[in-house]
Amino acid sequence: MLFYRGTSRGSALLISLIILILITAVTTVFLERIWWSSQTVEGIEASNAAYYQWAWIIEEQLMDTSVNKRTPWNIVPISEIYTYTGRTLTVFTGGDTMPMAWRWNSPYDRDYNIIALGQPVQIVIPNGINWSNVYFEFRVPSIDTTAGTGVANTLTSSGIILWTLGYSGASLYASWETQIFQWADINTSTNRFSSFSGITNSGSNVTLTTFYTTSQYLDTGGARCAWYVCTLKLSMIRPVETSLTTWGTPDGRILPFLEYRINFWWTNIPSQFMTLDATAYSYGFQRTQVINIPQITTNTALDFAVLQ
């Protein structure tokens, strides 16, 4: 009888131990899942916080009424760094060379931008520019360095880059193909622009320098262009036949775009694209984004009509 009672008590203890182990295991798994779930939720919240901080820092600056295409440098860079959170905004708005170094949109070279058929370049222009010191460089991209990328077209007197200059009160349009950038100007740096002639909106034929410096048009030293109210538009009007070869034989490749770089020599010009480099982080999560904002837009609808 005593043996029976001892066996019964031992069985009850064993069952109690098994039940305790099962409850502990279930509770541990349950708490572990809750902990990981809470960590995931906290991570999502921190990631969202970093995202909204990143978006906020950009929108906050762009909503400033003092920021526009002619005064992009009014955007204030921001650096707010704390222990677990922070945000920074770096701004690249322009300089005396377009594009700024390493602020390019050409996929072939970091110091050049792209001008293409149907994608003109439009640049806001201030007063005080000495156009004889401004150098334009248009070139065929180095797509295949082993085959060479020269211009195969022999019509060196034919124009390829059309231009217009002016503001709402006076404009100068390129006249004739000899007064625009030609095939001979490709793959070189030239200051020929200062000697180009054009037709004004009133029908007069004058040189660009005369138009920019005469009181009848843009006034002495281009005074009417103060605060960047004048615009220089460059349009590519013909595709480029390159000298690319396949096993030594010209392959007749046609490019609808060129690379360009313009050096204004000490005169700051707003970039074609204003670059905002924003970063925000929150408790180990970081969001980074680089945005290129076109500072001015245009179209090419009248380019051929103007040239004709």
Side-chain angles (χ1 to χ4, degrees):
M1 188 69 178
L2 291 174
F3 175 77
Y4 174 78
R5 288 180 177 178
T7 302
S8 178
R9 289 176 180 176
S11 298
L13 181 62
L14 180 60
I15 293 172
S16 299
L17 182 60
I18 292 173
I19 293 174
L20 179 62
I21 291 173
L22 289 174
I23 292 175
T24 302
V26 171
T27 303
T28 301
V29 172
F30 178 71
L31 292 176
E32 185 180 42
R33 288 183 176 276
I34 290 178
W35 185 83
W36 281 111
S37 178
S38 66
Q39 290 294 102
T40 301
V41 170
E42 289 179 3
I44 293 174
E45 290 177 349
S47 178
N48 287 339
Y51 173 82
Y52 286 117
Q53 284 287 338
W54 160 80
W56 178 26
I57 197 173
I58 293 178
E59 292 179 2
E60 184 180 43
Q61 296 306 307
L62 291 179
M63 288 176 63
D64 189 333
T65 56
S66 66
V67 176
N68 56 57
K69 65 187 179 185
R70 297 184 177 91
T71 56
W73 37 80
N74 286 341
I75 290 185
V76 180
I78 294 175
S79 180
E80 299 174 349
I81 307 299
Y82 307 105
T83 303
Y84 300 108
T85 62
R87 60 178 189 162
T88 61
L89 177 66
T90 306
V91 183
F92 302 92
T93 58
D96 61 359
T97 301
M98 182 175 293
M100 300 172 61
W102 290 74
R103 298 294 160 185
W104 71 101
N105 65 9
S106 171
Y108 307 104
D109 195 301
R110 295 176 175 177
D111 291 330
Y112 289 81
N113 273 356
I114 290 291
I115 182 171
L117 291 172
Q119 298 179 21
V121 176
Q122 192 157 320
I123 306 167
V124 289
I125 297 296
N127 59 313
I129 293 180
N130 182 350
W131 288 103
S132 62
N133 290 334
V134 177
Y135 282 79
F136 292 77
E137 183 179 357
F138 301 98
R139 72 176 195 176
V140 178
S142 298
I143 298 173
D144 186 345
T145 56
T146 61
T149 52
V151 178
N153 199 301
T154 58
L155 300 176
T156 56
S157 61
S158 296
I160 186 170
I161 304 293
L162 184 68
W163 59 269
T164 60
L165 174 67
Y167 76 117
S168 59
S171 298
L172 184 68
Y173 303 89
S175 61
W176 308 106
E177 295 215 22
T178 58
Q179 299 301 313
I180 67 177
F181 293 101
Q182 303 170 337
W183 293 106
D185 297 315
I186 306 303
N187 291 339
T188 187
S189 180
T190 177
N191 65 342
R192 286 206 317 127
F193 186 63
S194 60
S195 63
F196 283 156
S197 295
I199 304 296
T200 68
N201 56 312
S202 60
S204 302
N205 191 335
V206 298
T207 66
L208 180 135
T209 300
T210 299
F211 179 77
Y212 187 77
T213 60
T214 303
S215 58
Q216 181 180 354
Y217 304 113
L218 299 186
D219 210 347
T220 305
R224 292 193 176 95
C225 292
W227 301 106
Y228 298 90
V229 300
C230 292
T231 300
L232 172 64
K233 177 183 174 184
L234 303 171
S235 304
M236 184 174 176
I237 60 174
R238 289 186 175 91
V240 177
E241 180 184 351
T242 73
S243 60
L244 287 168
T245 60
T246 301
W247 301 104
T249 302
D251 61 12
R253 191 175 306 184
I254 301 295
L255 295 181
F257 60 88
L258 291 169
E259 291 179 329
Y260 79 89
R261 181 168 60 185
I262 308 172
N263 192 332
F264 286 91
W265 287 104
W266 311 114
T267 300
N268 286 330
I269 302 294
S271 295
Q272 182 184 5
F273 297 92
M274 177 171 57
T275 302
L276 304 181
D277 190 343
T279 298
Y281 66 91
S282 176
Y283 292 90
F285 289 83
Q286 178 174 296
R287 292 296 185 101
T288 299
Q289 184 70 38
V290 177
I291 299 178
N292 291 318
I293 302 176
Q295 300 212 73
I296 195 165
T297 57
T298 186
N299 61 68
T300 56
L302 299 178
D303 286 344
F304 290 97
V306 168
L307 183 60
Q308 292 172 356

